[in-house]
Amino acid sequence: MAALLPEFEYDIFISYRHNDNLFDGWVTEFVARLQEELAATIKERLSIYFDKDRTDGLGDTHMVGPSLAHRLRSFILIPLISQTYCDTTRFSWQHEFLPFLQQASADRLGLHLRLPSGNVGCRILPLRIHNLDATDVQLLEHTMGGPLRTIDFVYQDLGVNRPLRAKDDELPRPTGGLLYRNQINKVANAIKELVAAAKQQSAPAATTPVAPGLQDAPAWAPPAAPVSEATPTAPVASAPPVAARANGPVVFLAWTSKELAARREELALVCTKAGLHVVPTSDCPLDENEFRLRTQEALASAVCALHLLGNEFGRRFEDDDECSFPMFAYQEARRVAGSRPAFRQFVWYCPDEALAVKPAQKAFVNTIRNELTEQCTFTNAPSAMQLVEDLRSSLRQAAPPAAVIEKETDIFFVFNEMDLEEANAITDRLSEEFPLEILTIEPDSEDLYKDITVRAIPKSKLAVVYFKHSAGWALPFVKQVWRLVGGAGSTTPILFVGEDDPVLNRMHGFKAPKVISRIQPHLGVSEEVRRVFQQLNLPA
């Protein structure tokens, strides 16, 4: 029976170790019950390849591997992960699991699919039939490039490690034990979602919906400057024609260390819904040279690069132990930015605060912070949605700047009413030297103070957002205002300055292009404003 999609031989390929079917025919029964469940779940009939006997249909002179290769051209692979499956020397691993992983990553659909629910599903659907050794879990996670997610068929009882059987549903269950019937249903439902996703991807393209909060997508234009000619040591492919870019501006979303794989999937989805086209779309290559080449090819077509960094340093190169895959991607993007003024980099640092950051990763992050430029933004955004909003705001500023706005005052000084006494003392000292415009934010005021601020900042040579007791207000305020006045494209720098008492103020910094973040003692605030103004070579 043919597969639903014409490019595949079968819809589902069952990969397993034959010794897991010898004792009680567990695999044979599973396949039979799965077929029954699929028939009751999916309207179309799905084809399943399951070799009851490894030599089934093969003559004495036939080669097993090549004879099974065409059958491996399936839409979904279901590996039955047992205590003996994760053996890199065995047939099921070498000739079924790994080849499917590689070919699915490279075919039209890709290994991962956007499900109708908005989540992401994998065409490898692992079922766990034994409790696994830690080394087996590590091998699977390393090979698949992310945390292991399985549907379990393990009988749950103290001291027992065997597959769950259908007849176990009729016996008294251990507390919290699984029902075989429910697990079979979960498998069928997961397959149904993947089939729907494949049909959706194969259908004619429709207008991409925009995520809530990101409706005001600008009309995007390609970079004015062409990609520079590649150097012999670091080849960069030419950017494709703009017409080939299906979903708006191209964003290079760097492959991450495995603990951030799920967050990368989420971020890719948010970018797509916001009208951005994410590359690369496939899983991270296992081969190091292929990784380098595909990273450079993806960067060549992108207008910006997005890097996710967490606690782990990531996979290291065999020929360069001090460089990880994420570090290489960052360095390549930085090189591209050096030759393309309109190119932007965004580094999202999102470590798990409950875990320690590895020393190599900590050093890498510090290096990035120390070499920030106007083309590179370092952020601790609380969510993917917020990050993409910031990214779009910065990209919008890459367009040719609007007409220059005449500066009407030297310093626009903003503070919260909570800091009235200290702010008055500081502005009194500054007013002796600079023309000032002062805005006091009243927490209960009905004034549209953000609108006032956004209108006033472009007319000033320097904007100052000051805080002492109002740190909780100041940080989100300056982030919002920075985006509204143009982010990296603003014509007015912002000095975000707070006092060092209370000491918790030291944790309220904001690093971004055109923003200078400082913490000073009270008497040093006015001097810091004066120093920054003079350093920017702004005539008083």
Side-chain angles (χ1 to χ4, degrees):
M1 185 180 69
L4 289 180
L5 300 177
E7 63 260 49
F8 299 118
E9 190 81 12
Y10 290 91
D11 293 303
I12 302 168
F13 187 102
I14 307 293
S15 175
Y16 72 104
R17 287 295 307 278
H18 282 262
N19 55 355
D20 292 322
N21 200 36
L22 293 177
F23 178 68
D24 56 3
W26 191 93
V27 182
T28 301
E29 181 181 11
F30 165 77
V31 174
R33 291 186 179 269
L34 178 60
Q35 288 175 320
E36 295 170 355
E37 192 70 23
L38 287 172
T41 305
I42 302 175
K43 294 178 181 178
E44 300 88 351
R45 186 180 177 189
L46 302 188
S47 58
I48 299 179
Y49 179 75
F50 160 59
D51 58 326
K52 297 179 183 179
D53 183 346
R54 184 177 299 173
T55 60
D56 184 25
L58 299 176
D60 292 340
T61 60
H62 296 163
M63 298 178 67
V64 178
S67 298
L68 292 178
H70 73 284
R71 295 162 182 164
L72 194 61
R73 290 201 300 271
S74 300
F75 172 48
I76 297 171
L77 177 78
I78 297 182
L80 303 180
I81 310 298
S82 66
Q83 295 182 94
T84 60
Y85 187 88
C86 298
D87 185 340
T88 57
T89 66
R90 297 299 179 179
F91 183 91
S92 55
W93 185 272
Q94 289 187 346
H95 298 283
E96 294 175 358
F97 185 79
L98 288 183
F100 183 91
L101 176 67
Q102 294 168 357
Q103 71 185 32
S105 299
D107 67 23
R108 176 182 63 87
L109 293 176
L111 184 62
H112 295 98
L113 298 177
R114 307 286 178 196
L115 304 177
S117 64
N119 296 321
V120 177
C122 181
R123 286 168 54 194
I124 295 180
L125 189 61
L127 309 188
R128 188 169 64 97
I129 65 175
H130 287 115
N131 293 317
L132 304 178
D133 295 336
T135 53
D136 290 343
V137 174
Q138 291 172 1
L139 174 62
L140 286 164
E141 292 185 336
H142 174 75
T143 304
M144 295 187 68
L148 179 63
R149 296 181 176 89
T150 63
I151 298 177
D152 291 347
F153 285 81
V154 183
Y155 184 80
Q156 297 175 336
D157 199 1
L158 186 63
V160 178
N161 190 10
R162 68 165 176 84
L164 182 69
R165 303 167 302 180
K167 61 184 179 181
D168 290 330
D169 287 1
E170 302 170 6
L171 304 174
R173 286 187 298 149
T175 302
L178 299 173
L179 275 173
Y180 185 96
R181 179 71 178 81
N182 288 347
Q183 300 308 97
I184 281 284
N185 183 255
K186 288 180 183 179
V187 177
N189 289 335
I191 293 171
K192 181 179 180 180
E193 282 194 304
L194 289 170
V195 169
K199 289 180 178 179
Q200 180 175 285
Q201 186 164 325
S202 300
T207 303
T208 304
V210 178
L214 299 174
Q215 290 88 346
D216 300 325
W220 299 97
V227 179
S228 64
E229 188 171 325
T231 63
T233 56
V236 177
S238 299
V242 175
R245 298 174 185 173
N247 297 319
V250 179
V251 176
F252 169 71
L253 180 53
W255 286 300
T256 65
S257 52
K258 63 181 182 180
E259 93 273 12
L260 292 177
R263 183 164 289 192
R264 182 183 184 274
E265 292 176 1
E266 175 196 6
L267 183 55
L269 179 61
V270 174
C271 285
T272 300
K273 289 185 175 182
L276 307 174
H277 178 55
V278 174
V279 294
T281 58
S282 60
D283 282 358
C284 181
L286 300 177
D287 181 78
E288 294 183 359
N289 290 330
E290 183 183 359
F291 167 81
R292 290 186 176 101
L293 179 60
R294 289 174 65 182
T295 296
Q296 292 162 349
E297 289 174 344
L299 278 168
S301 66
V303 298
C304 69
L306 183 52
H307 310 268
L308 276 69
L309 301 180
N311 303 71
E312 300 292 331
F313 187 52
R315 178 182 169 187
R316 301 170 186 258
F317 288 96
E318 291 185 3
D319 57 356
D320 185 0
D321 189 60
E322 295 183 358
C323 183
S324 67
F325 277 30
M327 176 185 282
F328 175 84
Y330 168 79
Q331 292 173 342
E332 282 297 297
R334 183 173 172 81
R335 183 180 64 79
V336 172
S339 62
R340 291 162 54 187
F343 190 87
R344 294 289 182 267
Q345 270 185 285
F346 301 85
V347 180
W348 188 17
Y349 186 44
C350 47
D352 185 340
E353 296 182 356
L355 302 174
V357 178
K358 295 297 177 65
Q361 182 73 344
K362 187 178 295 185
F364 177 35
V365 170
N366 287 337
T367 298
I368 294 174
R369 283 173 164 163
N370 290 333
E371 61 186 20
L372 288 176
T373 66
E374 288 190 0
Q375 289 177 261
C376 184
T377 300
F378 187 94
T379 177
N380 301 96
S383 67
M385 187 75 73
Q386 182 65 61
L387 175 66
V388 173
E389 187 178 348
D390 293 346
L391 181 151
R392 281 186 26 184
S393 176
S394 289
L395 285 183
R396 189 182 294 118
Q397 306 312 316
V404 176
I405 300 176
E406 183 180 354
K407 304 298 182 181
E408 298 178 357
T409 188
D410 282 357
I411 297 175
F412 177 62
F413 196 98
V414 187
F415 63 92
N416 191 285
E417 191 178 38
M418 296 171 61
D419 301 320
L420 180 63
E421 182 178 350
E422 295 85 351
N424 282 342
I426 294 169
T427 53
D428 284 348
R429 289 191 289 269
L430 290 173
S431 62
E432 296 176 358
E433 187 174 350
F434 303 101
L436 292 179
E437 183 177 344
I438 300 172
L439 176 63
T440 305
I441 305 297
E442 300 177 8
D444 298 325
S445 173
E446 295 182 359
D447 291 339
L448 298 177
Y449 55 83
K450 286 180 186 174
D451 291 343
I452 297 173
T453 302
V454 170
R455 288 196 300 268
I457 285 181
K459 299 177 182 179
S460 309
K461 296 177 182 177
L462 175 66
V464 177
V465 178
Y466 161 79
F467 65 96
K468 178 176 174 64
H469 304 293
S470 61
W473 157 84
L475 185 57
F477 177 83
V478 74
K479 287 182 176 181
Q480 293 172 20
V481 167
W482 174 75
R483 289 197 303 272
L484 292 173
V485 297
S490 173
T491 60
T492 300
I494 298 175
L495 173 59
F496 182 53
V497 59
E499 295 198 17
D500 60 3
D501 180 22
V503 69
L504 289 178
N505 283 353
R506 296 183 180 277
M507 302 178 65
H508 289 72
F510 177 43
K511 291 189 176 182
K514 292 296 180 70
V515 176
I516 303 154
S517 189
R518 297 284 189 269
I519 297 295
Q520 297 287 333
H522 174 73
L523 293 177
V525 172
S526 55
E527 181 57 36
E528 184 65 14
V529 174
R530 183 181 297 106
R531 188 189 68 80
V532 169
F533 190 95
Q534 294 172 347
Q535 190 177 46
L536 293 171
N537 296 316
L538 300 174

